[in-house]
Coordinates of all heavy atoms in Angstrom, one line a residue:
F64 N -39.3 -13.5 -18.8 CA -40.2 -14.6 -19.3 C -39.4 -15.6 -20.1 O -38.2 -15.4 -20.4 CB -41.4 -14.0 -20.1 CG -41.0 -13.4 -21.4 CD1 -41.2 -14.1 -22.6 CD2 -40.5 -12.2 -21.5 CE1 -40.9 -13.6 -23.8 CE2 -40.1 -11.6 -22.7 CZ -40.4 -12.3 -23.9
E65 N -40.0 -16.7 -20.4 CA -39.5 -17.6 -21.4 C -40.7 -18.0 -22.4 O -41.8 -17.8 -22.0 CB -39.1 -18.9 -20.7 CG -37.6 -18.9 -20.2 CD -36.6 -18.6 -21.4 OE1 -36.8 -19.1 -22.5 OE2 -35.6 -17.9 -21.1
G66 N -40.3 -18.4 -23.5 CA -41.3 -18.9 -24.5 C -40.8 -20.3 -24.9 O -39.6 -20.4 -25.4
M67 N -41.7 -21.3 -24.8 CA -41.3 -22.6 -25.2 C -42.3 -23.1 -26.1 O -43.5 -22.7 -26.1 CB -41.3 -23.6 -24.0 CG -40.1 -23.4 -23.1 SD -40.4 -24.3 -21.5 CE -40.9 -22.9 -20.5
H86 N -34.5 -23.8 -21.3 CA -35.3 -22.6 -21.2 C -35.3 -22.2 -19.7 O -35.2 -21.0 -19.4 CB -36.7 -22.8 -21.7 CG -36.8 -22.7 -23.2 ND1 -36.9 -21.4 -23.8 CD2 -36.8 -23.6 -24.2 CE1 -36.9 -21.6 -25.1 NE2 -36.9 -22.9 -25.4
R89 N -32.0 -20.8 -18.6 CA -31.9 -19.4 -19.0 C -32.8 -18.5 -18.2 O -32.4 -17.3 -17.8 CB -32.2 -19.3 -20.5 CG -32.0 -17.8 -21.0 CD -32.1 -17.7 -22.5 NE -33.5 -18.0 -23.0 CZ -33.8 -18.1 -24.2 NH1 -32.9 -18.0 -25.2 NH2 -35.1 -18.3 -24.5
Y126 N -47.8 -23.1 -27.4 CA -46.8 -22.2 -26.9 C -46.9 -22.2 -25.4 O -48.1 -22.1 -24.9 CB -47.0 -20.8 -27.5 CG -46.0 -19.8 -27.1 CD1 -44.7 -19.8 -27.6 CD2 -46.3 -18.8 -26.2 CE1 -43.7 -18.8 -27.3 CE2 -45.4 -17.8 -25.9 CZ -44.1 -17.8 -26.4 OH -43.2 -16.9 -26.1
R175 N -30.7 -2.1 -31.2 CA -30.9 -3.0 -30.1 C -30.5 -2.4 -28.7 O -29.5 -1.7 -28.7 CB -30.0 -4.3 -30.4 CG -30.4 -5.5 -29.6 CD -31.6 -6.2 -30.2 NE -31.9 -7.3 -29.3 CZ -33.0 -7.3 -28.5 NH1 -33.8 -6.3 -28.5 NH2 -33.2 -8.4 -27.8
A183 N -29.7 -7.5 -23.1 CA -30.5 -8.3 -24.0 C -30.4 -9.8 -23.7 O -31.3 -10.6 -24.2 CB -30.2 -8.0 -25.4
K186 N -34.1 -12.2 -20.7 CA -35.4 -12.0 -21.4 C -36.3 -11.2 -20.6 O -37.3 -11.6 -19.9 CB -36.0 -13.4 -21.7 CG -36.5 -13.6 -23.1 CD -36.8 -15.1 -23.4 CE -38.0 -15.2 -24.4 NZ -37.9 -14.5 -25.6
Y191 N -38.8 -5.6 -24.4 CA -39.6 -6.0 -25.6 C -40.3 -4.8 -26.2 O -40.9 -4.9 -27.2 CB -40.4 -7.2 -25.3 CG -39.6 -8.4 -25.4 CD1 -38.6 -8.8 -24.5 CD2 -39.6 -9.2 -26.6 CE1 -37.8 -9.9 -24.6 CE2 -38.7 -10.3 -26.8 CZ -37.8 -10.6 -25.7 OH -37.0 -11.7 -25.9
T194 N -38.3 -4.4 -29.1 CA -38.7 -5.3 -30.1 C -40.0 -4.8 -30.8 O -40.1 -4.9 -32.0 CB -39.0 -6.7 -29.4 OG1 -37.8 -7.1 -28.7 CG2 -39.4 -7.7 -30.4
E220 N -29.5 -9.0 -34.1 CA -30.4 -10.2 -34.3 C -31.7 -9.7 -35.0 O -31.8 -8.5 -35.3 CB -30.6 -10.9 -33.0 CG -31.3 -10.0 -31.9 CD -31.5 -10.6 -30.6 OE1 -31.5 -11.9 -30.5 OE2 -31.8 -9.9 -29.6
G221 N -32.6 -10.6 -35.1 CA -34.0 -10.2 -35.6 C -34.8 -9.6 -34.4 O -34.3 -9.4 -33.3
S222 N -36.0 -9.3 -34.7 CA -36.9 -8.7 -33.7 C -37.0 -9.6 -32.4 O -36.9 -9.1 -31.3 CB -38.2 -8.3 -34.2 OG -38.9 -9.4 -34.6
A223 N -37.2 -10.8 -32.7 CA -37.3 -11.8 -31.5 C -36.8 -13.1 -32.0 O -37.4 -14.2 -31.8 CB -38.8 -11.9 -31.1
M224 N -35.6 -13.1 -32.6 CA -35.0 -14.3 -33.1 C -33.5 -14.0 -33.5 O -33.2 -12.8 -33.7 CB -35.7 -14.9 -34.3 CG -35.8 -13.9 -35.5 SD -37.0 -12.6 -35.3 CE -38.5 -13.4 -35.8
N225 N -32.7 -15.0 -33.5 CA -31.3 -14.8 -33.9 C -31.2 -15.0 -35.4 O -32.1 -15.4 -36.0 CB -30.4 -15.9 -33.1 CG -30.4 -15.7 -31.6 OD1 -30.7 -16.6 -30.9 ND2 -30.0 -14.5 -31.2
I226 N -30.0 -14.6 -35.9 CA -29.8 -14.7 -37.3 C -28.6 -15.5 -37.7 O -27.6 -15.4 -37.0 CB -29.8 -13.3 -37.9 CG1 -29.8 -13.3 -39.4 CG2 -28.6 -12.4 -37.4 CD1 -30.1 -12.0 -40.1
N242 N -25.3 -7.9 -28.0 CA -26.7 -7.6 -27.5 C -27.8 -8.5 -28.0 O -28.9 -8.0 -28.4 CB -27.0 -6.1 -27.8 CG -26.0 -5.2 -27.2 OD1 -25.7 -5.3 -26.0 ND2 -25.3 -4.4 -28.0
I243 N -27.5 -9.8 -28.1 CA -28.5 -10.7 -28.5 C -29.0 -11.5 -27.3 O -28.3 -11.5 -26.3 CB -27.9 -11.8 -29.5 CG1 -26.8 -12.7 -28.9 CG2 -27.3 -11.0 -30.7 CD1 -26.5 -13.9 -29.7
L244 N -30.2 -12.1 -27.5 CA -30.6 -13.1 -26.5 C -29.9 -14.4 -27.1 O -30.1 -14.7 -28.3 CB -32.1 -13.3 -26.5 CG -32.6 -14.4 -25.6 CD1 -32.5 -13.9 -24.1 CD2 -34.0 -14.9 -25.9
E245 N -29.1 -15.1 -26.2 CA -28.4 -16.2 -26.7 C -29.4 -17.4 -26.8 O -29.7 -18.0 -25.9 CB -27.2 -16.6 -25.8 CG -26.2 -15.5 -26.0 CD -25.0 -15.7 -25.1 OE1 -25.0 -15.2 -23.9 OE2 -24.0 -16.4 -25.5
G246 N -29.9 -17.6 -28.1 CA -31.0 -18.4 -28.3 C -30.8 -19.9 -28.1 O -29.7 -20.4 -28.4
I247 N -31.8 -20.6 -27.7 CA -31.7 -22.1 -27.5 C -31.8 -22.7 -28.9 O -31.1 -23.7 -29.2 CB -32.8 -22.5 -26.6 CG1 -32.3 -22.1 -25.1 CG2 -33.0 -24.0 -26.6 CD1 -33.4 -21.9 -24.2
T248 N -32.5 -22.1 -29.8 CA -32.5 -22.5 -31.2 C -31.2 -22.3 -31.9 O -30.7 -23.1 -32.6 CB -33.7 -21.8 -32.0 OG1 -34.8 -21.6 -31.1 CG2 -34.1 -22.6 -33.2
R249 N -30.6 -21.2 -31.6 CA -29.2 -20.9 -32.1 C -28.2 -22.0 -31.7 O -27.5 -22.5 -32.6 CB -28.8 -19.5 -31.5 CG -27.4 -19.0 -31.9 CD -27.3 -17.6 -31.2 NE -26.0 -17.0 -31.4 CZ -25.0 -17.1 -30.5 NH1 -25.2 -17.8 -29.4 NH2 -23.8 -16.5 -30.7
N250 N -28.2 -22.4 -30.4 CA -27.4 -23.5 -30.0 C -27.7 -24.8 -30.7 O -26.9 -25.5 -31.1 CB -27.5 -23.7 -28.5 CG -26.9 -22.7 -27.7 OD1 -26.1 -21.9 -28.2 ND2 -27.2 -22.6 -26.4
T251 N -29.0 -25.0 -30.9 CA -29.5 -26.2 -31.6 C -29.0 -26.2 -33.0 O -28.5 -27.2 -33.5 CB -31.0 -26.2 -31.6 OG1 -31.5 -26.1 -30.2 CG2 -31.6 -27.5 -32.2
C283 N -33.7 -17.8 -36.6 CA -34.0 -18.9 -35.8 C -34.5 -18.5 -34.4 O -33.9 -17.6 -33.9 CB -32.9 -19.9 -35.7 SG -31.5 -19.3 -34.8
G284 N -35.4 -19.2 -33.9 CA -36.0 -18.9 -32.6 C -37.1 -19.8 -32.3 O -37.6 -20.5 -33.2
T285 N -37.5 -19.9 -31.0 CA -38.6 -20.8 -30.6 C -39.8 -20.4 -31.4 O -40.5 -21.3 -31.9 CB -38.8 -20.6 -29.1 OG1 -37.7 -21.0 -28.4 CG2 -40.0 -21.4 -28.7
G286 N -40.2 -19.1 -31.5 CA -41.4 -18.8 -32.3 C -41.1 -18.9 -33.7 O -41.9 -19.6 -34.4
A287 N -40.1 -18.3 -34.2 CA -39.8 -18.3 -35.7 C -39.4 -19.6 -36.2 O -39.5 -19.9 -37.4 CB -38.7 -17.3 -35.9
Y316 N -34.5 -29.6 -38.2 CA -35.1 -29.0 -37.0 C -36.5 -29.5 -36.7 O -36.9 -29.9 -35.6 CB -34.9 -27.5 -37.1 CG -35.4 -26.8 -35.8 CD1 -34.6 -26.7 -34.7 CD2 -36.7 -26.1 -35.8 CE1 -35.1 -26.0 -33.5 CE2 -37.1 -25.4 -34.7 CZ -36.3 -25.4 -33.5 OH -36.7 -24.8 -32.4
Ligands
PLP1538 C1 -34.9 -11.1 -28.8 C2 -34.8 -12.5 -29.0 N1 -33.8 -13.0 -29.6 C3 -33.6 -14.4 -29.9 C4 -34.7 -15.2 -29.6 C5 -34.5 -16.7 -29.9 O1 -34.3 -17.4 -28.7 P1 -34.7 -18.9 -28.5 O2 -34.1 -19.7 -29.7 O3 -34.2 -19.4 -27.2 O4 -36.2 -18.9 -28.6 C6 -35.8 -14.7 -28.9 C7 -36.9 -15.6 -28.5 O5 -37.5 -16.3 -28.5 C8 -35.9 -13.4 -28.7 O6 -37.0 -12.9 -28.1

Side-chain angles (χ1 to χ4, degrees):
F64 70 103
E65 272 303 322
M67 288 167 257
H86 279 279
R89 184 171 66 187
Y126 183 74
R175 194 84 182 103
K186 230 169 144 52
Y191 280 75
T194 304
E220 59 180 345
S222 64
M224 58 287 273
N225 296 123
I226 187 165
N242 302 306
I243 67 169
L244 180 76
E245 289 176 273
I247 287 154
T248 321
R249 176 177 177 267
N250 287 346
T251 304
C283 68
T285 297
Y316 181 76

